[in-house]
Each structure stands twice: as C-alpha cells, then as structure tokens.
C-alpha cells in the first residue's frame, strides 16, 4: 500500500514536550490538512456520539472528543488512554486538580481549560436540577449533585445546603476545605449563615477522599453540635451526607440524627 505523503511530513509524538502548549500545531505549515487517518477517526467518533450517544462510548473516547479542540493537530487517543490510566476514570480526570493534570506529559493549559470547563458545566447542570426544588421529591438529583461536586476531591470539603420552609434548596455554600482526612467546621458560622439566609432547615455534606463514607467519631460529634445549636434557633438539621467514591452515607438513615 502506498504511504500517505502527509505521514512522512508530519511527526506525531505520543505527547507534546513538557511545558509546551500542545494546542499549537507547530509541525504544520499554514493551511496544511490533518492526515486522513486522524481526520477520519475524529469524524467517526463525532458521528458515533451524535447517533449513539455517550452510552455507546467508553470513557477514553468521550475524553478524546473533549481533547479535539485542545489538541487540533495530533492523535489524542494515546493521551486520553493515559489520562484514564493515571486517574482511574473519566470523572476523576475531569475533576482532577490542574496542578496534577499538568504533571502528565502532553497536558498543558489548553487541555486543562477544556477539562475544567467540562467539570464546571457538569456541576452547574447537576445543581440546576435541585436548586429551588423540594429536596424530598428530588433526593436522587440531590445525591447526584453532591457526588458530582465532591466525590473525586482529593481533600475534604464541607458544604451546607440551606432550605426554606417548604424544604426547597435556597443556597448551597462551601464552608471549608481541609486535608485528606480532616476539614475544620465551625458550628457558629454555619448557624450565622443560616440566619442570614432565613433558612428553616439544613443538610450538611462533606466528602471522604479515602472513598469510604463511614462516619468517624469526630463527624458524629460535630454533627451533634450543629444539631443542638440549630434546634435552639428552631432550625432543623435534616441530614448529614458523607460522600465517598462510589456511595454515600446518610446520618438519618444510620440513625445518627
């Protein structure tokens, strides 16, 4: 089979050199076309996505679609596969800190922007499904939102969901960030903010980066402090959710509230 001349003219390294913005197509002259095998592969992936949806595609192919704009002049399949290998799955890649992403060869600012944009859009979509809606009737959507926001964080984050008299979510605010196994929580600040928002009820949420959502004794003690302080102000603590990698723990379900 005759060799495509474009292949001999365009070097396609596995990853871009470290520190170089991979979105800059330096090897191509102005107006040069992509090699046909890359162009056809991208076309096929887009068509599969449009006709079959995301369900028909593995994680690395969805990641390829994200990387097309960031790296317009290279085959991005090797990088997509490598990112999945390093971080574990697509969700972990998209939510990984920029500092960790840029340690992967071939990942520069353009790739980080695409991944962080995807993360921000997923988070806003999940949040829109629960904001100003009754929590009880949209509990599954609320859990999806909490997992989207917190399941893949590498340090503990603590947030409070503030509810009105109808148990509709009126605000969702991060109250603190900590280490891999601890986050500082200040009950006085939680209740002060609840009064400012005229909230009638609360749901506490934090994550366990270890993946195991089982409550610790410190979690139980802190929750009881907030419950008692809220009760004194006629504010109800509905639940405390601990988000793990694959599942969550509910204090109410466990009989801890």
């Amino acid at each position: 089979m005759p060799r495509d001349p474009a292949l001999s003219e365009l070097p396609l390294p596995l990853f871009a050199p470290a520190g170089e913005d991979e979105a800059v197509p330096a090897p191509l002259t102005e107006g040069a076309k992509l090699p046909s095998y890359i162009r056809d592969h991208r076309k096929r992936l887009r068509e599969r996505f449009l006709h079959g949806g995301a369900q028909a595609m593995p994680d690395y192919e969805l990641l390829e679609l994200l990387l097309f704009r960031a790296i317009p002049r290279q085959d991005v399949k090797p990088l997509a596969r490598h990112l999945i290998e390093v971080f574990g799955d697509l969700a972990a890649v998209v939510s990984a800190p920029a500092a960790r992403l840029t340690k992967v060869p071939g990942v520069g600012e353009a790739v980080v922007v695409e991944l962080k944009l995807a993360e921000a859009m997923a988070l806003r979509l999940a949040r829109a499904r629960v904001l100003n809606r009754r929590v009880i009737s949209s509990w599954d959507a609320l859990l999806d939102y909490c997992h989207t926001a917190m399941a893949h964080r590498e340090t503990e984050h603590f947030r409070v969901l503030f509810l009105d008299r109808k148990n509709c979510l009126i605000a969702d605010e991060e109250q603190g960030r900590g280490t891999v196994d601890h986050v500082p929580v200040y009950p006085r600040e939680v209740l002060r903010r609840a009064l400012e928002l005229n909230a009638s009820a609360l749901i506490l949420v934090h994550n366990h980066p270890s993946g195991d959502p089982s409550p610790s004794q410190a979690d139980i003690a802190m929750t009881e402090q907030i419950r008692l302080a809220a009760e004194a102000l006629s504010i109800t603590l509905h639940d405390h959710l601990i988000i793990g990698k694959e599942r969550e723990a509910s204090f109410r379900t466990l009989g801890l509230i």
Side-chain angles (χ1 to χ4, degrees):
M1 179 182 293
R3 186 178 182 185
D4 187 341
L7 296 182
S8 62
E9 297 172 3
L10 177 61
L12 293 172
L14 178 61
F15 302 128
E20 188 174 302
D21 187 344
E22 68 288 355
V24 178
L28 291 183
T29 58
E30 186 175 354
K33 293 183 178 180
L34 281 173
S36 60
Y37 82 97
I38 296 180
R39 187 170 61 251
D40 293 345
H41 174 67
R42 292 187 172 200
K43 180 181 179 182
R44 285 194 300 270
L45 272 190
R46 290 187 177 107
E47 288 176 347
R48 283 179 53 205
F49 178 74
L50 288 174
H51 295 118
Q55 296 78 6
M57 306 179 75
D59 277 4
Y60 79 87
E61 288 187 338
L62 289 176
L63 186 52
E64 278 190 78
L65 288 170
L66 269 180
L67 297 176
F68 283 172
R69 288 198 314 165
I71 308 178
R73 297 292 188 264
Q74 289 179 214
D75 178 8
V76 296
K77 181 186 290 186
L79 178 57
R81 285 183 176 274
H82 187 57
L83 284 167
I84 296 293
E85 180 181 340
V86 169
F87 292 100
D89 58 30
L90 180 59
V93 173
V94 170
S95 59
R100 281 200 63 198
L101 287 168
T102 53
K103 290 180 180 178
V104 177
V107 174
E109 183 178 296
V111 167
V112 171
V113 168
E114 291 298 319
L115 295 176
K116 294 295 103 182
L117 177 60
E119 180 188 28
M121 293 178 71
L123 186 57
R124 290 200 180 188
L125 177 61
R127 187 170 186 267
R129 290 173 175 163
V130 296
L131 192 61
N132 296 320
R133 298 187 183 183
R134 289 180 181 269
V135 166
I136 302 304
S137 59
S138 57
W139 190 251
D140 287 343
L142 180 68
L143 292 179
D144 285 344
Y145 168 61
C146 292
H147 276 277
T148 300
M150 306 179 77
H152 293 282
R153 301 301 178 193
E154 297 182 335
T155 57
E156 286 199 11
H157 291 223
F158 176 77
R159 66 195 317 117
V160 182
L161 310 182
F162 299 93
L163 312 178
D164 65 13
R165 294 181 183 278
K166 296 181 179 180
N167 284 326
C168 291
L169 181 65
I170 55 176
D172 156 40
E173 297 182 357
E174 186 177 275
Q175 296 280 316
R177 298 185 182 187
T179 64
V180 294
D181 59 3
H182 173 73
V183 59
V185 177
Y186 304 101
R188 178 181 298 178
E189 292 301 310
V190 172
L191 274 301
R192 180 187 63 79
R193 186 59 178 148
L195 292 173
E196 289 177 352
L197 293 168
N198 197 30
S200 296
L202 308 171
I203 296 175
L204 311 178
V205 189
H206 85 279
N207 63 309
H208 279 180
S210 68
D212 180 4
S214 303
S216 67
Q217 287 302 312
D219 293 334
I220 295 170
M222 176 269 292
T223 303
E224 183 64 9
Q225 287 181 13
I226 294 179
R227 187 191 69 79
L228 291 173
E231 189 177 77
L233 297 172
S234 299
I235 296 173
T236 301
L237 177 59
H238 279 318
D239 209 340
H240 183 172
L241 299 173
I242 301 180
I243 306 300
K245 297 289 186 187
E246 305 293 338
R247 61 188 178 91
E248 72 284 337
S250 160
F251 273 51
R252 183 160 297 279
T253 299
L254 294 171
L256 297 173
I257 290 181

